[in-house]
Amino acid sequence: MEIKNIKKEFPIFKQKINGKPLVYLDSANSSQKPKVVIDKISNFYETEFSNVGRSVHTLAVKATNRFEAVRDKVKQYINAKHREEIIFTKGATEGINLVASSFGKKYINKGDEILVTELEHHSNYVPWHYLRSEKGAVIKFAQVNSDGDVEIDEIKKQITNKTKIIAITHISNVTGAVLPIAKIVDLAKERNIPVLIDGTQGAPHSHIDMQKIGCDFYAISCHKMYGPNGLGILYMKKKWVDDLPPYQGGGGMIDEVKQDSITFAEEHTKFEAGTMQTAEVVSFAEALNFIEKIGIKNIASHENEVLEYGLEKLRKNNSVNIIGSPKNRGSVLCFTIKDIHPHDIATILDDDGVAIRAGHHCCQILHDKLGIAATARASIGVYNNKEDMDIFSESIKNCQKVFQV
Amino acid sequence: MEIKNIKKEFPIFKQKINGKPLVYLDSANSSQKPKVVIDKISNFYETEFSNVGRSVHTLAVKATNRFEAVRDKVKQYINAKHREEIIFTKGATEGINLVASSFGKKYINKGDEILVTELEHHSNYVPWHYLRSEKGAVIKFAQVNSDGDVEIDEIKKQITNKTKIIAITHISNVTGAVLPIAKIVDLAKERNIPVLIDGTQGAPHSHIDMQKIGCDFYAISCHKMYGPNGLGILYMKKKWVDDLPPYQGGGGMIDEVKQDSITFAEEHTKFEAGTMQTAEVVSFAEALNFIEKIGIKNIASHENEVLEYGLEKLRKNNSVNIIGSPKNRGSVLCFTIKDIHPHDIATILDDDGVAIRAGHHCCQILHDKLGIAATARASIGVYNNKEDMDIFSESIKNCQKVFQV
Amino acid sequence: MELKELYQEIILDHGKNPRNKGKCEGFTNDAKAHNTLCGDKVHIYLKLNKDKKIEDLSFEGEGCAISLASASILTETVKGKDLSFITRVSDDFINMIKNKKKITINSLTPDQMTTITSLSGVQEFPMRVKCATMAWHTLMSAIETK
Amino acid sequence: MELKELYQEIILDHGKNPRNKGKCEGFTNDAKAHNTLCGDKVHIYLKLNKDKKIEDLSFEGEGCAISLASASILTETVKGKDLSFITRVSDDFINMIKNKKKITINSLTPDQMTTITSLSGVQEFPMRVKCATMAWHTLMSAIETK
Ligand SMILES: Cc1ncc(COP(=O)(O)O)c(C=O)c1O
Ligand SMILES: Cc1ncc(COP(=O)(O)O)c(C=O)c1O
């Protein structure tokens, strides 16, 4: 599949926004879906739908096989060692909540430290906050430097012998900083500290290999990877799958249930309570196929090229302030324009068909640190191209015109 | 819409199973989806998809409006008083886990009693078990009588002044017993005990009116109501929405986030962390429209007629043992056949195109009580008819032939 | 063109040079609000006198042009007015933004009328409704506190 | 017709009249398993002698015809055999069910061969694979315990 013509694979681009072609620069929020994924959902519901893992009739068998085959596919895609390291969740948020809850229950006590960074999305802070308020744990923040990066030395500095877990983002959804996660994991391993990676922004834009990264937990949101809504993946190293207590309780995750006691299922099953998102899981395989057909490295370098082109344009505009200048930038570009509030920018850009996001992007702590209440964010997906960046940068000039600045 | 021709609305029935028409009798497990629901999902992804509630561009606005309109629609459908009483979850299982966790955190202490029934699905037992094992709460079981019913007097008997919450199913997914939930709520109200109803089997088959039932919490799985996978609804009375602490932590459910403190959003938002299942929510509106077009009361009476017809046939077969004879039966029919294990029954029926479920149906406690390890279950949806029951009952005879009993 | 309707001269002016900004002296009531979606904040201070008139008021806030202009216009509109006027104008304003209704109150000067209706373009931008109404809701909360 | 392949005479017979049911006397090893999906249970007891032969074995269990027949056939097949035979036949059996492979071990009597391959119809019924293999996995666990 050629990236050049890739917009055609995404039905959403057939429509006009305010009479103009859609320039979708909100992929860090959620990506659009290729036709293969959408079609798989309908096709599955139309011809193969059944609840999985519970019945022995033909439809149930087919659905279960398809469903479990996706677990294998994900295992292979992220290079996990065991299929039971793949846990299906509602999203990255649920994945991180699961770890905070199950790990926290067993291993976090009063005074224990949880190390995060100032870059974290609320999803990778609020769940740990619960352990702070309920168990008296301490949250430490590795500081972001003036480039919007978190350096390995800063992480090193914050580790103490009370550090029980490190929870860090792979790529910042604001500064775009790509953190040196493999190195951080190495550092943590020396001290036997488990590491959770919030891979929400990492997984759609980079080659992720659990053996190379070496982390204990890696959380993914499928809807940002050209996949369906309502599905996430939590990679959990086998030793933790075996060791941690279950999360939500319900059907499918039990072994034996009596009036006075309950024993739980083993493997990933322990963490998958209730009816699973069968159609979502099945269609996510198509999203992975789509990515594989193009090649994640090709996607990443294409996105990078588009991003750099856009950055170059914006840098020439003296009224535009680009947030962060990290060593390696993921496909995110946050900015402000002098005397125009990001919210107003987003509205004016939208009038030109350009979809961006404005606000704190669920990163209030980082915005506090930056001393800005809100920023505007353009984020790139495989379907964006340089033309999009031209329209985007023209539209920014239009903002300045409307606001006469 | 006419029930007579309703199979046509469900694409799944176009195919053959083992060369025979599909007789789908596994709706209590998950219902099939009408074309309108499936089409809405694709249509939404193709023309309107965006993440909701986070951006101000055109697609985001449209998606957010659609999404929030479904909240209003659900509010109206279940006759809730306030739209913020409608919380979107992953399924009934998550809904019950949410209540057990949030209510439990604030109100359950050592020695406090949680009253459930022996009919409960694991989803309405395991979450309470966590409170038992973590907080030393006590779980009491209202006993099922020999008809497979739980009587109001039995509930009354089990209530003590330590009872902190009553959590009961609306309709049993094994005996089909319809519990007198409104009366149980009245009883509980006299003593100021909140009531959670597991409405997973109730909502697809009966008119549910939160004002008439009067319960504090009502949990629904949309995939059993002709809706999509991966979506549930938790009705939570306003006073609890305002009172209970949040559940999962993440984006969207916060008010102000600082390095040393967090305050949370109000209303339903507090309980909806992370990116929501936009496409699922949007398409669920079509499932409700579908139900409303036929009328839930028409659906219920049609299902009842089909069920009674099937029951009559099975009663004539001396080798068949029907589980339970509740006063009011929901659309579930569990049975055993002398000397044939339910698992074998399911396989043989499947060969005739008849999809049923075999096992303990996530109700081990009830099966222990019945002294049977497993049962076979036929469950009815709007698309079933008397012909299905004919094929079903013939297929049962086929089991007996294969097993020479 | 709708965008010009939204960002009218008056709004840009109020957004850039908000009136009555700061903390007014001797305030008797105050309330604040926060739009978690975009981070807009507003804090309203007011001095109610014995006759239930707002003798003075002011606001602090951060946010987009719409939210700042709305707060600024609010302070100009209600300063020196009594509670019954304020309730009516506030209802009218919210109704205009949310439900595309006309302003019905007839005790506004033509100037005030022009100013307040300059915000009516927000009707067409649903995601911006909260930006425009937040200050007005906060005013009512401030009045209710004591 | 596949269904007849699955429910062959031999299987129905073993399912109805399982051999070696109960708890054998003086057992040295045992292990149990539970298929949470359908509630099938099996508990295997065996008496290993000094020569690493299974002198006696038996099982307790509840479940479908396939799982009972499989356990019953297992006991008949491995009774009196040594561990190396047992490992091979067990691998072969699981390979037959899961991967549609032929039985390769050549020390089975023609009768035993017929009996053991009567379960090969399960290949075509993926949801029933666990029913057929559970007893065999449990046998191996029992041997590993002491
Ligand atoms: C009575 C009952 N409660 C709860 C559940 C759990 O529903 P879900 O798996 O959709 O969360 C089910 C369905 O499996 C059920 O039948
Ligand atoms: C860095 C990061 N972490 C976590 C999340 C949460 O993902 P989700 O909302 O899909 O659970 C997001 C996206 O919003 C994100 O950008």
Side-chain angles (χ1 to χ4, degrees):
Chain A
M1 227 178 291
E2 285 226 63
I3 292 188
K4 230 174 48 181
N5 300 319
I6 210 77
K7 272 197 206 218
K8 280 194 316 198
E9 309 292 331
F10 292 80
I12 197 94
F13 294 110
K14 281 193 199 136
Q15 77 189 296
K16 302 266 171 192
I17 300 291
N18 301 317
K20 286 144 211 150
L22 168 62
V23 175
Y24 188 76
L25 296 174
D26 200 17
S27 296
N29 193 353
S30 195
S31 67
Q32 294 297 338
K33 322 300 172 203
K35 191 156 168 43
V36 282
V37 169
I38 303 172
D39 287 353
K40 186 76 224 169
I41 300 174
S42 359
N43 182 264
F44 178 72
Y45 278 132
E46 287 180 359
T47 65
E48 296 187 330
F49 176 73
S50 167
N51 200 349
V52 300
R54 278 150 167 83
S55 297
V56 298
H57 55 76
T58 301
L59 286 175
V61 172
K62 271 200 208 169
T64 304
N65 289 346
R66 265 203 187 284
F67 181 92
E68 289 300 333
V70 182
R71 204 185 298 278
D72 290 316
K73 169 126 201 121
V74 172
K75 164 189 177 286
Q76 162 253 309
Y77 184 82
I78 68 172
N79 194 22
K81 266 204 187 127
H82 309 275
R83 68 189 311 278
E84 58 266 32
E85 295 179 327
I86 310 302
I87 300 163
F88 291 116
T89 63
K90 188 160 82 167
T93 299
E94 178 167 86
I96 300 170
N97 275 275
L98 191 165
V99 177
S101 164
S102 292
F103 182 87
K105 230 172 246 173
K106 191 153 176 182
Y107 292 107
I108 302 282
N109 295 304
K110 195 165 155 58
D112 285 345
E113 291 177 5
I114 297 154
L115 176 53
V116 303
T117 82
E118 290 179 337
L119 289 174
E120 300 316 315
H121 188 279
H122 295 158
S123 289
N124 197 22
Y125 170 37
V126 186
W128 306 110
H129 166 78
Y130 290 159
L131 295 173
R132 178 168 65 189
S133 61
E134 285 161 28
K135 294 198 145 193
V138 175
I139 299 180
K140 294 187 80 179
F141 290 86
Q143 292 194 34
V144 66
N145 68 16
S146 57
D147 291 336
D149 263 328
V150 173
E151 279 163 307
I152 184 105
D153 283 348
E154 170 64 16
I155 302 272
K156 204 180 281 177
K157 227 173 69 189
Q158 300 287 352
I159 294 178
T160 75
N161 46 30
K162 286 189 180 159
T163 309
K164 284 287 143 53
I165 190 165
I166 301 176
I168 48 169
T169 194
H170 185 171
I171 299 184
S172 160
N173 65 320
V174 175
T175 69
V178 181
L179 298 206
I181 51 171
K183 282 191 194 141
I184 295 171
V185 170
D186 283 344
L187 190 68
K189 265 191 191 151
E190 284 169 22
R191 311 184 180 217
N192 256 318
I193 304 167
V195 179
L196 173 140
I197 310 285
D198 173 358
T200 317
Q201 298 298 339
H205 306 293
S206 40
H207 173 65
I208 50 169
D209 180 323
M210 293 306 121
Q211 302 318 310
K212 286 197 186 133
I213 300 173
C215 59
D216 300 82
F217 311 99
Y218 192 99
I220 294 173
S221 271
C222 298
H223 69 96
K224 307 205 198 217
M225 281 182 89
Y226 312 112
N229 271 172
L231 182 67
I233 285 158
L234 176 66
Y235 161 81
M236 185 188 285
K237 213 179 240 174
K238 179 88 163 55
K239 81 175 220 214
W240 298 112
V241 172
D242 294 340
D243 181 59
L244 295 184
Y247 182 50
Q248 295 183 337
M253 49 72 78
I254 52 84
D255 174 32
E256 196 143 35
V257 176
K258 300 199 169 299
Q259 290 209 353
D260 53 3
S261 68
I262 295 179
T263 55
F264 297 102
E266 295 186 340
E267 311 187 339
H268 52 80
T269 314
K270 175 165 70 175
F271 300 105
E272 293 179 344
T275 297
M276 296 305 287
Q277 309 97 306
T278 319
E280 284 79 357
V281 169
V282 165
S283 68
F284 183 58
E286 294 301 325
L288 289 181
N289 287 338
F290 173 82
I291 291 174
E292 285 182 325
K293 266 193 192 154
I294 311 174
I296 185 71
K297 287 178 183 166
N298 295 331
I299 293 178
S301 71
H302 166 77
E303 287 173 344
N304 207 45
E305 204 182 311
V306 173
L307 186 72
E308 282 303 323
Y309 179 84
L311 275 166
E312 217 32 67
K313 293 223 144 191
L314 259 55
R315 284 192 191 113
K316 286 186 191 136
N317 186 329
N318 287 329
S319 299
V320 172
N321 173 35
I322 294 163
I323 308 294
S325 50
K327 275 190 234 63
N328 297 299
R329 186 189 278 271
S331 45
V332 160
L333 194 180
C334 269
F335 64 99
T336 55
I337 308 178
K338 205 170 158 317
D339 293 332
I340 314 182
H341 191 276
H343 226 162
D344 295 312
I345 301 173
T347 295
I348 298 171
L349 261 60
D350 183 54
D351 202 62
D352 290 333
V354 180
I356 64 158
R357 181 168 168 192
H360 53 58
H361 318 294
C362 302
C363 293
Q364 281 191 13
I365 287 180
L366 181 61
H367 280 77
D368 274 1
K369 176 86 176 213
L370 297 169
I372 320 175
T375 54
R377 181 181 74 186
S379 54
I380 314 283
V382 64
Y383 29 66
N384 293 119
N385 53 34
K386 291 183 182 171
E387 222 181 302
D388 289 351
M389 290 295 111
D390 290 335
I391 298 172
F392 167 56
S393 96
E394 280 311 302
S395 187
I396 284 181
K397 289 182 192 151
N398 192 25
C399 290
Q400 297 170 268
K401 226 175 287 163
V402 171
F403 269 74
Q404 302 153 18
V405 294
Chain B
M1 228 177 293
E2 284 225 63
I3 292 188
K4 228 173 50 180
N5 300 318
I6 211 76
K7 272 198 206 219
K8 279 194 316 196
E9 309 291 332
F10 291 80
I12 198 93
F13 294 111
K14 280 192 200 138
Q15 77 189 295
K16 302 266 170 189
I17 298 292
N18 300 317
K20 286 145 210 149
L22 168 62
V23 175
Y24 188 76
L25 296 175
D26 200 17
S27 296
N29 192 354
S30 195
S31 68
Q32 294 296 339
K33 323 299 174 203
K35 191 156 168 42
V36 283
V37 170
I38 303 172
D39 287 352
K40 187 76 222 170
I41 299 174
S42 358
N43 184 264
F44 178 73
Y45 277 132
E46 287 180 359
T47 64
E48 296 187 328
F49 176 72
S50 168
N51 200 346
V52 300
R54 278 151 167 83
S55 297
V56 297
H57 55 76
T58 302
L59 286 176
V61 172
K62 272 200 210 169
T64 304
N65 290 346
R66 266 203 188 284
F67 182 91
E68 289 300 332
V70 182
R71 204 185 298 277
D72 290 316
K73 170 129 200 119
V74 172
K75 164 189 177 285
Q76 162 254 307
Y77 185 81
I78 68 173
N79 195 21
K81 267 205 185 123
H82 310 276
R83 68 190 309 278
E84 58 265 31
E85 295 179 326
I86 310 303
I87 300 164
F88 292 116
T89 63
K90 187 160 83 169
T93 299
E94 178 167 85
I96 300 170
N97 275 274
L98 191 164
V99 177
S101 164
S102 292
F103 182 87
K105 230 171 245 173
K106 192 155 177 182
Y107 291 108
I108 302 281
N109 295 305
K110 195 165 154 63
D112 285 345
E113 291 176 6
I114 297 154
L115 176 52
V116 302
T117 82
E118 290 179 336
L119 289 174
E120 300 315 316
H121 188 279
H122 295 157
S123 289
N124 197 22
Y125 171 37
V126 186
W128 306 111
H129 166 78
Y130 290 159
L131 295 174
R132 178 168 65 188
S133 60
E134 286 161 25
K135 294 198 147 195
V138 175
I139 299 179
K140 293 187 79 179
F141 290 87
Q143 292 193 36
V144 65
N145 68 16
S146 57
D147 291 335
D149 263 328
V150 173
E151 278 163 309
I152 184 102
D153 282 348
E154 169 63 17
I155 302 271
K156 204 179 281 174
K157 226 172 68 188
Q158 300 286 351
I159 294 178
T160 75
N161 46 29
K162 286 189 181 159
T163 310
K164 284 286 143 51
I165 190 165
I166 300 177
I168 47 169
T169 195
H170 186 170
I171 299 183
S172 159
N173 64 320
V174 175
T175 69
V178 181
L179 299 206
I181 51 172
K183 283 191 195 140
I184 294 170
V185 171
D186 283 346
L187 189 68
K189 266 192 191 150
E190 284 169 22
R191 314 188 179 212
N192 255 318
I193 304 168
V195 179
L196 173 140
I197 310 285
D198 173 358
T200 317
Q201 298 298 339
H205 306 292
S206 40
H207 173 64
I208 50 171
D209 180 322
M210 292 307 121
Q211 303 318 310
K212 285 195 187 136
I213 299 174
C215 58
D216 300 81
F217 311 98
Y218 191 98
I220 293 173
S221 272
C222 298
H223 69 96
K224 308 206 196 213
M225 280 182 88
Y226 312 112
N229 271 173
L231 183 68
I233 285 159
L234 175 66
Y235 162 81
M236 185 188 285
K237 213 179 240 177
K238 180 85 164 55
K239 82 176 221 213
W240 298 112
V241 172
D242 295 339
D243 180 59
L244 295 184
Y247 181 50
Q248 297 184 335
M253 49 72 79
I254 52 82
D255 175 31
E256 195 142 36
V257 176
K258 299 198 170 300
Q259 291 208 354
D260 53 3
S261 68
I262 295 178
T263 54
F264 296 102
E266 295 187 340
E267 310 185 340
H268 50 81
T269 313
K270 174 165 70 175
F271 300 105
E272 293 178 343
T275 297
M276 298 304 289
Q277 309 96 307
T278 319
E280 284 79 358
V281 168
V282 165
S283 68
F284 183 58
E286 294 301 325
L288 289 181
N289 286 339
F290 173 83
I291 291 174
E292 285 182 326
K293 266 194 193 153
I294 311 175
I296 185 71
K297 288 179 182 166
N298 296 331
I299 293 177
S301 70
H302 166 76
E303 288 172 344
N304 207 45
E305 205 182 310
V306 173
L307 187 71
E308 281 303 325
Y309 180 84
L311 276 166
E312 218 31 69
K313 292 223 142 190
L314 259 56
R315 282 192 192 111
K316 285 185 191 135
N317 186 329
N318 287 331
S319 299
V320 172
N321 173 35
I322 294 164
I323 309 295
S325 50
K327 274 190 235 62
N328 296 298
R329 186 189 278 271
S331 46
V332 160
L333 194 181
C334 271
F335 64 99
T336 55
I337 308 178
K338 204 170 160 317
D339 293 332
I340 314 182
H341 190 276
H343 226 164
D344 295 311
I345 302 174
T347 295
I348 299 171
L349 260 60
D350 183 54
D351 202 62
D352 290 332
V354 180
I356 63 157
R357 181 169 168 189
H360 54 58
H361 318 294
C362 302
C363 292
Q364 281 190 12
I365 286 180
L366 181 61
H367 279 77
D368 274 0
K369 177 87 176 211
L370 297 170
I372 321 175
T375 53
R377 180 181 75 186
S379 54
I380 313 283
V382 63
Y383 29 65
N384 294 118
N385 53 34
K386 292 184 181 170
E387 223 181 301
D388 290 349
M389 291 295 111
D390 291 334
I391 299 173
F392 167 57
S393 96
E394 280 311 302
S395 188
I396 284 180
K397 288 182 192 148
N398 192 24
C399 291
Q400 296 169 270
K401 224 174 287 161
V402 170
F403 269 74
Q404 300 152 20
V405 293
Chain C
M1 188 230 194
E2 284 166 11
L3 209 52
K4 282 206 187 118
E5 299 267 309
L6 184 62
Y7 294 109
Q8 291 184 28
E9 208 58 57
I10 303 181
I11 294 176
L12 295 179
D13 174 44
H14 275 271
K16 258 181 248 174
N17 313 298
R19 325 298 197 255
N20 303 304
K21 212 162 171 208
K23 210 184 268 185
C24 67
E25 251 175 67
F27 66 88
T28 57
N29 298 36
D30 75 310
K32 54 183 175 176
H34 179 202
N35 182 346
T36 50
L37 182 60
C38 57
D40 285 358
K41 284 178 190 174
V42 68
H43 194 155
I44 289 189
Y45 302 89
L46 53 89
K47 195 171 167 183
L48 267 183
N49 67 15
K50 284 163 293 175
D51 312 335
K52 300 255 171 200
K53 273 197 182 158
I54 291 191
E55 210 174 288
D56 197 7
L57 87 168
S58 66
F59 81 101
E60 288 176 341
E62 289 168 28
C64 62
I66 307 297
S67 74
L68 292 181
S70 178
S72 170
I73 290 170
L74 173 151
T75 59
E76 277 201 341
T77 312
V78 306
K79 194 184 265 188
K81 297 292 160 76
D82 63 17
L83 289 189
S84 80
F85 171 89
I86 292 170
T87 311
R88 282 202 54 198
V89 74
S90 164
D91 283 354
D92 264 19
F93 179 82
I94 289 167
N95 245 317
M96 171 182 80
I97 303 287
K98 277 201 178 160
N99 309 321
K100 308 194 182 186
K101 291 274 158 60
K102 287 243 161 73
I103 299 289
T104 58
I105 192 167
N106 47 23
S107 49
L108 292 172
T109 66
D111 248 24
Q112 282 181 319
M113 193 66 179
T114 312
T115 308
I116 210 169
T117 53
S118 71
L119 278 156
S120 64
V122 177
Q123 293 167 352
E124 305 298 332
F125 295 82
M127 290 303 265
R128 310 304 300 275
V129 162
K130 206 171 173 184
C131 307
T133 56
M134 189 164 72
W136 297 78
H137 286 301
T138 310
L139 170 68
M140 297 318 288
S141 315
I143 290 170
E144 281 156 24
T145 65
K146 64 200 93 202
Chain D
M1 190 228 193
E2 284 166 10
L3 208 53
K4 281 204 187 122
E5 298 268 308
L6 184 63
Y7 293 109
Q8 292 182 30
E9 208 57 58
I10 304 182
I11 294 176
L12 295 179
D13 174 43
H14 275 273
K16 256 181 249 174
N17 312 298
R19 325 298 197 257
N20 302 304
K21 213 160 171 209
K23 208 186 268 186
C24 68
E25 251 176 69
F27 66 89
T28 57
N29 297 37
D30 75 309
K32 54 184 177 177
H34 179 201
N35 182 347
T36 50
L37 182 60
C38 55
D40 285 357
K41 283 178 189 172
V42 68
H43 194 156
I44 288 188
Y45 302 89
L46 54 89
K47 194 171 167 184
L48 266 184
N49 68 15
K50 283 166 293 176
D51 313 333
K52 300 253 171 201
K53 273 197 181 158
I54 291 191
E55 212 175 286
D56 196 7
L57 88 168
S58 67
F59 81 101
E60 286 176 344
E62 289 169 26
C64 61
I66 306 296
S67 75
L68 292 181
S70 178
S72 169
I73 289 170
L74 174 150
T75 59
E76 276 202 339
T77 313
V78 306
K79 194 184 265 189
K81 296 294 160 79
D82 64 18
L83 288 191
S84 80
F85 171 88
I86 292 170
T87 311
R88 284 201 54 199
V89 75
S90 164
D91 283 354
D92 263 19
F93 179 81
I94 289 167
N95 245 317
M96 171 182 81
I97 302 287
K98 276 199 177 163
N99 308 320
K100 307 195 182 185
K101 292 275 159 59
K102 286 244 162 71
I103 298 289
T104 59
I105 193 167
N106 48 23
S107 47
L108 292 173
T109 66
D111 247 24
Q112 283 181 319
M113 193 67 178
T114 312
T115 308
I116 210 169
T117 53
S118 72
L119 278 156
S120 66
V122 177
Q123 294 166 353
E124 306 299 330
F125 294 83
M127 291 304 265
R128 310 304 300 275
V129 162
K130 207 171 171 183
C131 307
T133 56
M134 189 164 72
W136 297 77
H137 286 301
T138 311
L139 170 67
M140 296 319 288
S141 313
I143 290 170
E144 281 156 23
T145 64
K146 65 200 90 205

